[in-house]
Amino acid sequence: MSAAMGRCVSAPDPRSAESGFTLIELVVALAVFSLAALALLRLEGVSLSSTARLQDRLIGQIVARNIAVEALSDPEPPTMGLSNGEEQNAGRLWRWTRRTSAAPGPKLQRIDISVADDHGAAAGTMTVFRPLS
Protein backbone atom coordinates (compact mmCIF):
# COMPACT_ATOMS: atom_id res chain seq x y z
CA MET A 1 0.00 0.00 0.00
CA SER A 2 1.43 3.33 -0.94
CA ALA A 3 1.59 6.40 1.25
CA ALA A 4 -0.69 8.30 -1.07
CA MET A 5 -3.50 5.82 -0.60
CA GLY A 6 -3.59 6.05 3.20
CA ARG A 7 -3.73 9.82 3.42
CA CYS A 8 -6.03 12.25 1.76
CA VAL A 9 -4.09 15.27 0.59
CA SER A 10 -6.04 18.20 -0.79
CA ALA A 11 -4.73 21.22 -2.57
CA PRO A 12 -5.20 24.57 -0.74
CA ASP A 13 -8.21 26.51 -1.90
CA PRO A 14 -7.02 29.87 -3.28
CA ARG A 15 -10.31 31.59 -2.35
CA SER A 16 -10.16 30.78 1.39
CA ALA A 17 -7.40 33.33 2.05
CA GLU A 18 -9.41 36.09 0.34
CA SER A 19 -12.88 35.49 1.78
CA GLY A 20 -14.18 37.57 4.73
CA PHE A 21 -12.63 40.51 6.56
CA THR A 22 -9.46 40.57 8.55
CA LEU A 23 -9.46 41.72 12.16
CA ILE A 24 -7.74 44.99 11.19
CA GLU A 25 -10.43 45.77 8.61
CA LEU A 26 -13.16 45.17 11.18
CA VAL A 27 -11.48 47.44 13.74
CA VAL A 28 -11.07 50.21 11.16
CA ALA A 29 -14.71 49.86 10.06
CA LEU A 30 -15.91 50.05 13.68
CA ALA A 31 -13.74 53.14 14.29
CA VAL A 32 -15.19 54.91 11.25
CA PHE A 33 -18.72 53.99 12.28
CA SER A 34 -18.17 55.19 15.86
CA LEU A 35 -16.81 58.55 14.64
CA ALA A 36 -19.85 59.00 12.42
CA ALA A 37 -22.20 58.08 15.29
CA LEU A 38 -20.48 60.54 17.65
CA ALA A 39 -20.74 63.30 15.04
CA LEU A 40 -24.47 62.63 14.66
CA LEU A 41 -24.99 62.70 18.44
CA ARG A 42 -23.15 66.01 18.71
CA LEU A 43 -25.22 67.45 15.86
CA GLU A 44 -28.40 66.43 17.68
CA GLY A 45 -27.17 68.12 20.86
CA VAL A 46 -26.40 71.36 19.04
CA SER A 47 -29.79 71.23 17.33
CA LEU A 48 -31.61 70.80 20.66
CA SER A 49 -29.61 73.64 22.20
CA SER A 50 -30.43 75.95 19.29
CA THR A 51 -34.10 75.05 19.53
CA ALA A 52 -34.15 75.89 23.25
CA ARG A 53 -32.48 79.27 22.61
CA LEU A 54 -34.97 80.07 19.87
CA GLN A 55 -37.86 79.16 22.15
CA ASP A 56 -36.50 81.46 24.87
CA ARG A 57 -36.14 84.33 22.40
CA LEU A 58 -39.65 83.76 21.06
CA ILE A 59 -41.24 83.82 24.51
CA GLY A 60 -39.08 86.80 25.49
CA GLN A 61 -40.32 88.66 22.43
CA ILE A 62 -43.92 87.80 23.35
CA VAL A 63 -43.34 89.22 26.85
CA ALA A 64 -41.85 92.40 25.30
CA ARG A 65 -44.91 92.76 23.05
CA ASN A 66 -47.24 92.31 26.04
CA ILE A 67 -45.43 95.07 27.95
CA ALA A 68 -45.62 97.31 24.84
CA VAL A 69 -49.36 96.69 24.46
CA GLU A 70 -49.89 97.59 28.12
CA ALA A 71 -47.92 100.83 27.67
CA LEU A 72 -49.77 101.73 24.47
CA SER A 73 -53.27 100.88 25.66
CA ASP A 74 -53.07 102.52 29.08
CA PRO A 75 -55.09 105.76 29.10
CA GLU A 76 -52.23 107.53 30.91
CA PRO A 77 -48.83 107.57 29.21
CA PRO A 78 -46.02 105.92 31.15
CA THR A 79 -43.83 108.19 33.23
CA MET A 80 -40.50 109.22 31.76
CA GLY A 81 -37.51 107.28 32.98
CA LEU A 82 -36.74 103.69 33.87
CA SER A 83 -39.13 101.10 35.26
CA ASN A 84 -38.65 97.38 35.96
CA GLY A 85 -40.95 94.46 36.54
CA GLU A 86 -41.46 90.72 36.33
CA GLU A 87 -43.94 88.68 34.34
CA GLN A 88 -44.90 85.01 34.40
CA ASN A 89 -45.16 83.46 30.96
CA ALA A 90 -44.84 79.85 29.81
CA GLY A 91 -44.31 78.76 33.39
CA ARG A 92 -41.19 80.91 33.79
CA LEU A 93 -40.29 84.24 35.31
CA TRP A 94 -39.22 87.01 32.91
CA ARG A 95 -37.66 90.28 34.02
CA TRP A 96 -38.33 93.36 31.94
CA THR A 97 -37.00 96.88 31.82
CA ARG A 98 -38.89 99.75 30.21
CA ARG A 99 -37.14 103.04 29.40
CA THR A 100 -39.45 105.89 28.44
CA SER A 101 -37.97 109.01 26.87
CA ALA A 102 -38.98 111.90 24.66
CA ALA A 103 -39.07 111.04 20.96
CA PRO A 104 -37.67 113.32 18.25
CA GLY A 105 -41.15 114.13 17.00
CA PRO A 106 -43.52 116.52 18.75
CA LYS A 107 -45.79 115.00 21.37
CA LEU A 108 -44.29 111.51 21.08
CA GLN A 109 -42.82 109.18 23.64
CA ARG A 110 -40.21 106.54 22.84
CA ILE A 111 -40.58 103.34 24.86
CA ASP A 112 -37.68 100.87 24.80
CA ILE A 113 -38.43 97.48 26.33
CA SER A 114 -35.90 94.75 27.06
CA VAL A 115 -36.68 91.32 28.51
CA ALA A 116 -34.33 88.89 30.24
CA ASP A 117 -34.96 85.27 31.21
CA ASP A 118 -34.69 83.93 34.75
CA HIS A 119 -30.91 83.49 34.28
CA GLY A 120 -30.42 87.11 33.20
CA ALA A 121 -29.79 86.37 29.51
CA ALA A 122 -31.33 88.83 27.04
CA ALA A 123 -34.43 87.30 25.49
CA GLY A 124 -36.24 90.08 23.66
CA THR A 125 -36.24 93.78 22.86
CA MET A 126 -38.74 96.17 21.35
CA THR A 127 -39.13 99.88 20.71
CA VAL A 128 -42.51 101.56 20.29
CA PHE A 129 -43.67 105.17 20.00
CA ARG A 130 -46.72 106.50 21.78
CA PRO A 131 -48.44 109.83 21.18
CA LEU A 132 -48.77 112.05 24.21
CA SER A 133 -52.34 113.02 24.91
Side-chain angles (χ1 to χ4, degrees), residues 84-108:
N84 300 313
E86 295 179 344
E87 292 288 326
Q88 277 293 114
N89 199 331
R92 293 176 54 193
L93 185 66
W94 302 88
R95 292 179 179 84
W96 55 267
T97 303
R98 183 180 68 201
R99 181 180 305 274
T100 306
S101 59
K107 296 187 179 182
L108 280 178

Side-chain angles (χ1 to χ4, degrees), residues 75-127:
E76 292 295 317
T79 59
M80 297 289 194
L82 193 65
S83 60
N84 300 313
E86 295 179 344
E87 292 288 326
Q88 277 293 114
N89 199 331
R92 293 176 54 193
L93 185 66
W94 302 88
R95 292 179 179 84
W96 55 267
T97 303
R98 183 180 68 201
R99 181 180 305 274
T100 306
S101 59
K107 296 187 179 182
L108 280 178
Q109 273 186 330
R110 177 182 173 149
I111 304 170
D112 296 307
I113 301 164
S114 61
V115 177
D117 65 9
D118 47 1
H119 301 296
T125 59
M126 175 171 269
T127 300

Side-chain angles (χ1 to χ4, degrees), residues 8-13:
C8 180
V9 179
S10 62
D13 186 7

Side-chain angles (χ1 to χ4, degrees), residues 34-102:
S34 65
L35 288 175
L38 287 174
L40 287 174
L41 286 174
R42 182 177 168 138
L43 178 65
E44 181 182 0
V46 169
S47 176
L48 289 174
S49 174
S50 295
T51 302
R53 277 195 311 270
L54 285 173
Q55 181 181 6
D56 287 349
R57 291 184 70 179
L58 174 69
I59 296 172
Q61 199 65 30
I62 290 171
V63 171
R65 287 175 189 252
N66 289 344
I67 301 301
V69 167
E70 288 176 5
L72 292 173
S73 63
D74 192 4
E76 292 295 317
T79 59
M80 297 289 194
L82 193 65
S83 60
N84 300 313
E86 295 179 344
E87 292 288 326
Q88 277 293 114
N89 199 331
R92 293 176 54 193
L93 185 66
W94 302 88
R95 292 179 179 84
W96 55 267
T97 303
R98 183 180 68 201
R99 181 180 305 274
T100 306
S101 59

